[in-house]
Amino acid sequence: HYFIQSNLRMTESNEKVKAVKQNGNSSKAALKALPHAKQLERLAKYCSCGFEGCSCQSWKCGSSAPSKDCSSCSHAIQYHLDKMMSVSISQREKLLDMTVDIDQLYALYQRESEPVQKNVYTVLVKLLKQALSQGVEANVETALGKPPFESPTIAKAVTAFIVSNYSHYSNEQQRKLSDIGTYLLYFTNQFTLPVPSEYCDKFPEKNSATYKSIYFRWFSFCHVPRVISSLAQHDVTQIFGVSFLKYTFPLIKKQFLDKTDRISRQSQFLTG
């Protein structure tokens, strides 16, 4: 029953990612079609005021058109755009994309009930806003660590395992094993981790703090960037290693073998 739920969660997650990404792409295209002045207004809404001593965090459009003074701090819109005026067109488009990503993250935060995910969304929104206000691209590594987090990585470990244990096999057998290994890595990259509360209920003997740390990094570096283009996306198998597998492989193996039951019996080396 648990694994059926896990399969359903993985399918639902992929469908959700696809829908959110499509919606975001439409919004980004619409922003890029706006006149230059309107694009700057959009950016100003996410930028703090640069006037000395002012603590205003975002430009707010007043009702006294055509005035562009901020209705919150009364300073001209230019003070909210001091970091934006010299950026290139391509960089401005990336920053416009970032405003959509911030809105999407905030919307996801509001719909989320899982504490760890809400915490991730809060951290990422803060990081994106800080980057946008400075007119630079977002970098989550400063707050969350720099990948890879383990050595060797899953990708290197799987490759080394096949080479060291099956080098005496025929070329055809090695090719089949290599194909299985490649698909296992692909499947691991696509796998959706269960939320910490669900995982800890299923595996009470595991260290909950360690799993939450793994989940936080997976969610930030691998899952959310599938939707949010402002964040660099990483493959699970390129940034995690043995520690990640200790907590997730029972789940991954079950679903992997269920999906590969038509592959050669050579796949049974995974159950050893």
Side-chain angles (χ1 to χ4, degrees):
H1 177 69
Y2 176 83
F3 290 109
I4 292 175
Q5 285 185 324
S6 186
N7 270 308
L8 290 173
R9 183 185 64 252
M10 189 172 179
T11 301
E12 291 171 354
S13 176
N14 289 335
E15 291 176 351
K16 181 180 179 181
V17 165
K18 183 178 180 180
V20 174
K21 191 169 186 176
Q22 287 177 340
N23 181 60
N25 288 340
S26 297
S27 299
K28 291 172 182 178
L31 278 179
K32 291 171 184 175
L34 290 175
H36 177 66
K38 291 296 183 182
Q39 290 181 348
L40 291 178
E41 288 183 15
R42 169 76 177 189
L43 292 173
K45 293 178 181 179
Y46 297 82
C47 297
S48 57
C49 181
F51 190 88
E52 185 176 358
C54 184
S55 60
C56 182
Q57 294 300 303
S58 64
W59 176 78
K60 297 176 179 62
C61 182
S63 58
S64 57
S67 173
K68 297 300 180 182
D69 292 349
C70 177
S71 63
S72 178
C73 67
S74 301
H75 295 132
I77 189 174
Q78 285 77 10
Y79 286 105
H80 286 271
L81 293 169
D82 56 344
K83 298 289 195 311
M84 303 292 162
M85 305 309 294
S86 60
V87 301
S88 64
I89 294 176
S90 61
Q91 181 65 9
R92 185 173 73 242
E93 290 182 347
K94 290 180 180 179
L95 296 175
L96 285 169
D97 287 349
M98 202 180 295
T99 67
V100 176
D101 289 344
I102 290 172
D103 289 349
Q104 286 190 304
L105 285 174
Y106 185 69
L108 290 169
Y109 168 85
Q110 290 183 311
R111 295 198 295 267
E112 188 54 62
S113 59
E114 179 67 25
V116 174
Q117 291 186 356
K118 290 182 78 73
N119 189 22
V120 174
Y121 289 136
T122 300
V123 170
L124 295 181
V125 166
K126 182 178 180 179
L127 289 172
L128 287 181
K129 283 186 174 181
Q130 288 176 343
L132 180 53
S133 188
Q134 296 298 316
V136 298
E137 295 183 34
N139 181 4
V140 302
E141 294 180 2
T142 302
L144 304 178
K146 184 176 181 179
F149 304 116
E150 300 182 67
S151 181
T153 63
I154 296 171
K156 290 182 178 179
V158 169
T159 300
F161 177 80
I162 293 175
V163 170
S164 63
N165 289 276
Y166 301 98
S167 58
H168 60 286
Y169 277 30
S170 68
N171 289 339
E172 179 62 18
Q173 289 174 319
Q174 288 187 47
R175 185 189 64 78
K176 289 180 179 179
L177 284 169
S178 178
D179 289 344
I180 293 170
T182 298
Y183 184 62
L184 173 61
L185 295 177
Y186 169 80
F187 189 84
T188 302
N189 288 329
Q190 298 300 312
F191 186 78
T192 299
L193 297 188
V195 296
S197 59
E198 180 183 329
Y199 180 90
C200 294
D201 286 343
K202 177 64 178 177
F203 303 102
E205 73 281 4
K206 296 289 188 179
N207 187 305
S208 61
T210 300
Y211 182 76
K212 286 179 181 178
S213 176
I214 290 172
Y215 185 89
F216 198 103
R217 282 176 163 171
W218 168 81
F219 200 73
S220 303
F221 286 90
C222 306
H223 184 70
V224 173
R226 295 170 63 192
V227 179
I228 305 303
S229 63
S230 300
L231 301 175
Q233 183 178 359
H234 299 268
D235 286 339
V236 169
T237 56
Q238 297 292 338
I239 66 174
F240 291 105
V242 174
S243 180
F244 179 93
L245 290 179
K246 285 181 178 178
Y247 281 80
T248 63
F249 193 62
L251 303 175
I252 295 173
K253 181 177 71 172
K254 170 63 177 175
Q255 291 193 27
F256 176 74
L257 293 178
D258 286 346
K259 286 182 174 292
T260 57
D261 57 1
R262 293 186 301 272
I263 296 180
S264 168
R265 288 184 180 179
Q266 292 169 356
S267 64
Q268 291 182 1
F269 78 94
L270 292 168
T271 64

